[in-house]
Amino acid sequence: MSESVGVKTLQIDGQEVSARSGQTILEVALENEIYIPTLCHLDGLSDVGACRLCVVEVKGNNKLFPACVTTVFEGMEVSTNTERLRKHRCNILELLFAERNHVCSVCVSNGHCELQTMAQNQGLTHVRLPYRNPELTVDASHERFTVDHNRCILCTRCVRVCAEVEGAHVWDVMGRGINSIVITDLHEDWGKSSCTRCGKCVQVCPTGALFDKAKIGSDHPKYPDFLPYLNQMREAQ
Amino acid sequence: MSKLKLATVWLDGCSGCHMSFLDMDERLLELAELVDVVYSPIVDAKDFPDSVDIALVEGAVASVDDEKKIKKIRAHSKMLIAIGDCAITGNVPAMRNPIGREAILDRAYFENATIQAQIPCVVVPELLKVVRPIHEFVKVDVYLPGCPPSADTFHTALTALITGEPLDIPALTRFGA
């Protein structure tokens, strides 16, 4: 196929696949039912490459590439599940667990948490790094929702859904590196912020960092699948 | 085949892992065919034996006593298995770490005391500054996460470890299970 029509042919894990020009490795992999683990990616939101779990190897290059923000090129040969990648993914997960206070046993998302499930899927049984145990706050000032910074992995799904889908841009990130936290408005209490109370941020949060107060003490499954449907409905209008 | 010597130890945890172990119910009789329980909170042995084949350790290392115990357990055990999230991650006992030992003791023994406000220092072991998982002190051979790991997890894992069959732990349990 010629490049002028914008079609690329490439290999993912030895499988011949075709893609449209500008598509990311992750999009093409998903279309071809090739699983690449991710935490910050969500269908319906822009990609930012925050969690780096989706790193893949591209033949001819020693660097690892985040599949969610790397576009395909003609003749590309991608490996998504090598020993090296599995090792890096475990390291990333261990860093996430060590960085904050993820106490799964007393979390509203226990059993429904994407971080917990990912750790299990990647074969993680313990964290080799020392836990940092930072002193972090819980903001329960909102009448309906709570943010527990102890459980946040800074995936920024809440920031993106609020800005891109709800259009309110209440959430943002403050600070740098290990000291980053998600904030509402200019670091106002969530309850005093310009929040529209839509709850989209809570539904897309992969962990128990954002939760519905009505679900405290019980299982708290999230339903992020509404996003693609919402976008489709809007486009159809 | 001679029976293996099994020890179970309770450090800083809630004993939920031991309760789950006992939840194996009649399967404990099958297990008793393969192992002798030589040390445990549920038997009467006072001192950790000199030679143990498998030691199951519940709970995090939170006091100077726990630290002494885990080092002794490691020195006298062929295989050390960390059972439950407290032993593996620190879990609930480690929730005091961000607050700090002094603040916790102050809250418990001064702020909430109506009489005899004092931090106990006789018989009760001194708390470590932070609660840590056991693998930060000694080498752990097998990790069995869960809060607590279920009786089925215990049964499958122990049977596999005793008989030398392959064991896929993430397929059985996870943190917080």
Side-chain angles (χ1 to χ4, degrees):
Chain A
M1 193 68 72
S2 76
E3 288 209 20
S4 58
V5 292
V7 175
K8 311 284 180 196
T9 53
L10 61 147
Q11 279 188 11
I12 303 181
D13 295 337
Q15 185 181 329
E16 292 279 353
V17 296
S18 60
R20 292 182 299 284
S21 181
Q23 273 195 302
T24 65
I25 297 170
L26 183 66
E27 280 173 330
V28 180
L30 288 174
E31 277 177 12
N32 289 278
E33 293 175 357
I34 297 166
Y35 172 71
I36 298 178
T38 66
L39 280 175
C40 67
H41 167 84
L42 194 63
D43 282 345
L45 296 181
S46 63
D47 282 308
V48 289
C51 73
R52 300 275 153 170
L53 273 172
C54 68
V55 282
V56 294
E57 289 183 40
V58 175
K59 194 178 174 186
N61 204 316
N62 252 339
K63 275 167 55 179
L64 300 178
F65 293 86
C68 68
V69 288
T70 306
T71 47
V72 296
F73 58 79
E74 181 62 33
M76 192 180 211
E77 289 180 38
V78 180
S79 300
T80 69
N81 194 17
T82 64
E83 190 56 42
R84 181 182 174 211
L85 294 174
R86 285 194 292 273
K87 199 180 117 213
H88 279 290
R89 283 173 190 147
C90 276
N91 287 344
I92 291 166
L93 286 168
E94 287 178 62
L95 284 164
L96 288 175
F97 275 105
E99 188 171 299
R100 298 207 177 183
N101 305 305
H102 296 276
V103 187
C104 299
S105 60
V106 290
C107 181
V108 287
S109 288
N110 186 12
H112 307 283
C113 170
E114 290 184 41
L115 176 67
Q116 185 187 36
T117 307
M118 188 67 73
Q120 192 188 19
N121 290 348
Q122 297 297 314
L124 203 72
T125 57
H126 67 291
V127 173
R128 293 164 294 175
L129 306 156
Y131 287 90
R132 285 185 68 244
N133 298 127
E135 195 178 350
L136 291 162
T137 55
V138 177
D139 177 2
S141 59
H142 197 286
E143 62 178 337
R144 287 177 56 197
F145 312 120
T146 305
V147 51
D148 181 352
H149 294 285
N150 293 285
R151 305 187 183 283
C152 175
I153 58 167
L154 296 169
C155 67
T156 70
R157 283 187 189 179
C158 54
V159 178
R160 287 174 283 150
V161 80
C162 191
E164 296 169 13
V165 183
E166 176 62 8
H169 205 143
V170 171
W171 287 103
D172 223 317
V173 181
M174 183 183 82
R176 293 183 69 82
I178 212 158
N179 297 316
S180 305
I181 57 163
V182 287
I183 52 166
T184 40
D185 283 350
L186 294 172
H187 204 193
E188 300 285 325
D189 289 346
W190 193 358
K192 290 181 189 156
S193 73
S194 53
C195 173
T196 60
R197 305 164 76 246
C198 73
K200 290 186 183 73
C201 54
V202 173
Q203 293 305 323
V204 300
C205 174
T207 69
L210 300 184
F211 60 88
D212 191 326
K213 283 183 177 176
K215 307 274 176 62
I216 291 179
S218 64
D219 292 338
H220 194 343
K222 310 271 180 86
Y223 301 99
D225 298 344
F226 73 92
L227 265 181
Y229 296 110
L230 188 63
N231 287 342
Q232 271 174 24
M233 296 298 279
R234 284 180 177 177
E235 280 163 20
Q237 276 182 356
Chain B
M1 193 173 87
S2 65
K3 286 186 178 183
L4 295 176
K5 289 179 193 162
L6 177 77
T8 78
V9 186
W10 177 12
L11 303 179
D12 192 359
C14 69
S15 101
C17 295
H18 275 87
M19 297 300 107
S20 203
F21 181 85
L22 291 174
D23 270 348
M24 277 194 278
D25 300 331
E26 72 276 11
R27 289 175 291 183
L28 285 167
L29 298 175
E30 287 169 30
L31 194 65
E33 300 287 317
L34 303 169
V35 298
D36 277 330
V37 181
V38 292
Y39 180 87
S40 170
I42 53 175
V43 300
D44 200 29
K46 299 285 186 275
D47 296 313
F48 196 82
D50 286 339
S51 173
V52 165
D53 293 301
I54 299 174
L56 302 175
V57 182
E58 167 190 345
V61 179
S63 69
V64 289
D65 197 39
D66 293 336
E67 188 175 352
K68 227 181 277 173
K69 275 185 191 159
I70 194 66
K71 286 179 178 162
K72 185 169 185 185
I73 293 158
R74 179 67 276 184
H76 296 283
S77 307
K78 285 185 190 145
M79 185 190 283
L80 197 159
I81 307 176
I83 55 169
D85 284 358
C86 296
I88 295 170
T89 72
N91 200 25
V92 173
M95 287 173 78
R96 78 163 155 91
N97 291 353
I99 301 158
R101 174 183 61 183
E102 281 68 30
I104 294 283
L105 288 171
D106 206 48
R107 179 78 175 156
Y109 293 107
F110 290 100
E111 286 175 37
N112 285 337
T114 46
I115 51 164
Q116 300 246 27
Q118 58 182 315
I119 294 170
C121 58
V122 180
V123 182
V124 182
E126 188 193 343
L127 293 184
L128 294 176
K129 207 169 169 57
V130 284
V131 178
R132 292 289 184 203
I134 57 178
H135 64 265
E136 290 195 25
F137 295 85
V138 295
K139 179 178 171 283
V140 169
D141 300 303
V142 180
Y143 297 85
L144 213 55
C147 187
S150 68
D152 287 345
T153 298
F154 269 115
H155 181 253
T156 311
L158 274 177
T159 311
L161 289 168
I162 291 166
T163 57
E165 284 164 25
L167 175 62
D168 180 7
I169 290 167
L172 293 175
T173 183
R174 56 170 161 75
F175 296 134

